[in-house]
Amino acid sequence: MITIDGVSRTFGPVQALHDINLEVADGEFLALIGRSGCGKSTLLRQVAGLDKPTAGRVLIDGEQVRAPRRDVAVNFQRPALLPWRSVLDNVMLPVEIFKWDKRENRDRALHLLETTGLAQFAKRLPHELSGGMQQRVALCRTLIQNPRVMLMDEPFSALDALTREELSMELQRIHIETGTTIVFVTHSIQEAVLLADRVAVLSARPGRVRQIVDIAIPRPRSFGHNAHLEEVAAASAELHQLLLENHLPPAPAPQRNR
Ligand SMILES: Nc1ncnc2c1ncn2[C@@H]1O[C@H](COP(=O)(O)OP(=O)(O)O)[C@@H](O)[C@H]1O
Ligand SMILES: [Mg+2]
C-alpha cells in the first residue's frame, strides 16, 4: 500500500504540490491526470524517492520513502536505454546492478522479450528499433525486477496513437497477469479510462487532488467497439469536464447578505 500523506513541494517561489493525500491499494492501477505543469512528475518523484517533499511524507507498506527502493520501478517518457548495449543486455541491466543470478534471469529476459514480440531483436542495438519497440524494451527491463510497484510517467506519450494503444493493451495484460501496483501519469483521458481502477485528477498549479474518479468497467477493456461503450463514454466525459474546469478562472465567491 502506498500512502501519500500531506505532501507539498515548493521550488523557491513556485509551489508545485499542495497537501496531496492519496492512498493506492496493493494491486491497484491508479492514473494521475492533469494539465501540463500541474505537478504530476513532481508527485511521482516523491513516491519514487527521487525527490523529497517540502512537507508531508510518502509511505510504502508503512515505511517512509527516503530513497529509491529495489521493489519500486520507474518508467519515464523516454525509454532511457543504454545505446551501446544490445536489447537483451539492456533488459539484463537491473540483474547486473542488483547482482542477481545471471543464468536464471537471462532466461526470464528472453521470455519477456518473447511475450512483448521482441524475441528476434534481442541482439540488436536500441537505435535499430522504433520508438514503440524501445519503450517495450524499457518495459521488459522494469518487469525483470518483478517490482511490487511500477511508477510510470507518461511512458507512451512520445509514441504515435496506434503504438500507444498497442502498448496500453500490453500494460493492461501485464497488470492483470502480475497484479503489480501501478501509478501511471498521463494526460490522455483515453489511456486513463482503459487502464485505471481510479483516476486522480490534479488541479492546475499548485497541484492538489481535485477529484478521484472510479472507473468500474470490467477488464479486459479495449479501445474501439466493446461491450461497455456507454460506461467508457460517461467516464471520459466526466474526466474531460474536470480537466476543462481546471482551465477556468476560479469562480467568484458567492455574495452573501449578512
Ligand atoms: N527541479 C525543479 N526546479 C524548479 N521547478 C521545478 C522543478 N521540477 C518541477 N518544477 C516546477 O514544478 C511545477 C510542476 O512540474 P511537473 O511536476 O514537471 O509538472 P507535470 O509533470 O504535471 O507537467 C512546474 O511549474 C515546474 O516548472
Ligand atoms: Mg511531467
Side-chain angles (χ1 to χ4, degrees):
M1 149 114 86
I2 305 171
T3 307
I4 300 171
D5 176 23
V7 164
S8 299
R9 177 67 164 106
T10 53
F11 297 101
V14 176
Q15 183 163 33
L17 297 172
H18 179 74
D19 193 23
I20 304 277
N21 293 284
L22 261 179
E23 288 203 336
V24 190
D26 286 338
E28 184 175 9
F29 196 122
L30 179 88
L32 277 177
I33 197 165
R35 66 186 297 193
S36 178
C38 76
K40 303 182 295 296
S41 296
T42 303
L43 181 56
L44 209 68
R45 290 171 61 78
Q46 313 304 316
V47 181
L50 294 168
D51 186 36
K52 287 197 171 68
T54 319
R57 58 200 184 139
V58 176
L59 306 172
I60 295 182
D61 294 336
E63 212 176 287
Q64 188 169 352
V65 174
R66 298 171 195 276
R69 296 167 50 119
R70 278 185 189 202
D71 54 353
V72 175
V74 191
N75 278 81
F76 299 101
Q77 184 175 355
R78 298 275 187 80
L81 303 175
L82 298 177
W84 60 88
R85 293 181 72 132
S86 70
V87 164
L88 178 61
D89 287 346
N90 266 286
V91 176
M92 288 290 284
L93 198 62
V95 174
E96 290 175 30
I97 291 173
F98 300 135
K99 299 192 166 55
W100 293 331
D101 184 273
K102 274 203 189 142
R103 169 117 43 100
E104 180 189 318
N105 281 289
R106 194 166 179 281
D107 290 342
R108 283 190 60 226
L110 289 169
H111 179 70
L112 285 168
L113 288 173
E114 200 175 297
T115 61
T116 48
L118 291 169
Q120 321 84 295
F121 299 93
K123 300 236 167 85
R124 301 289 186 83
L125 292 172
H127 76 89
E128 301 177 88
L129 273 56
S130 69
M133 291 159 87
Q134 291 183 22
Q135 200 52 270
R136 282 201 167 89
V137 176
L139 206 54
C140 291
R141 185 183 53 191
T142 293
L143 291 170
I144 203 161
Q145 295 184 50
N146 247 331
R148 287 205 44 216
V149 176
M150 287 169 70
L151 306 174
M152 310 184 82
D153 193 354
E154 309 205 35
F156 308 146
S157 63
L159 306 172
D160 67 81
L162 281 174
T163 307
R164 210 158 67 206
E165 280 191 26
E166 275 172 23
L167 278 165
S168 303
M169 296 300 290
E170 199 127 337
L171 182 61
Q172 175 177 224
R173 174 182 66 76
I174 288 163
H175 177 240
I176 291 171
E177 279 174 13
T178 61
T180 307
T181 309
I182 300 180
V183 182
F184 185 88
V185 168
T186 181
H187 55 249
S188 160
I189 292 172
Q190 200 188 24
E191 269 174 16
V193 172
L194 179 85
L195 292 168
D197 296 304
R198 291 188 304 153
V199 184
V201 182
L202 296 192
S203 66
R205 211 177 64 218
R208 301 164 207 247
V209 179
R210 183 185 158 81
Q211 193 153 323
I212 294 178
V213 177
D214 284 311
I215 311 288
I217 302 170
R219 292 192 172 93
R221 303 175 189 162
S222 65
F223 291 104
H225 286 294
N226 63 62
H228 304 282
L229 281 181
E230 268 179 44
E231 291 102 309
V232 168
S236 305
E238 184 177 1
L239 292 174
H240 192 243
Q241 194 60 35
L242 285 165
L243 287 167
L244 264 186
E245 283 166 10
N246 266 334
H247 291 252
L248 298 175
Q255 301 287 324
R256 284 214 184 88
N257 296 322
R258 300 206 166 181

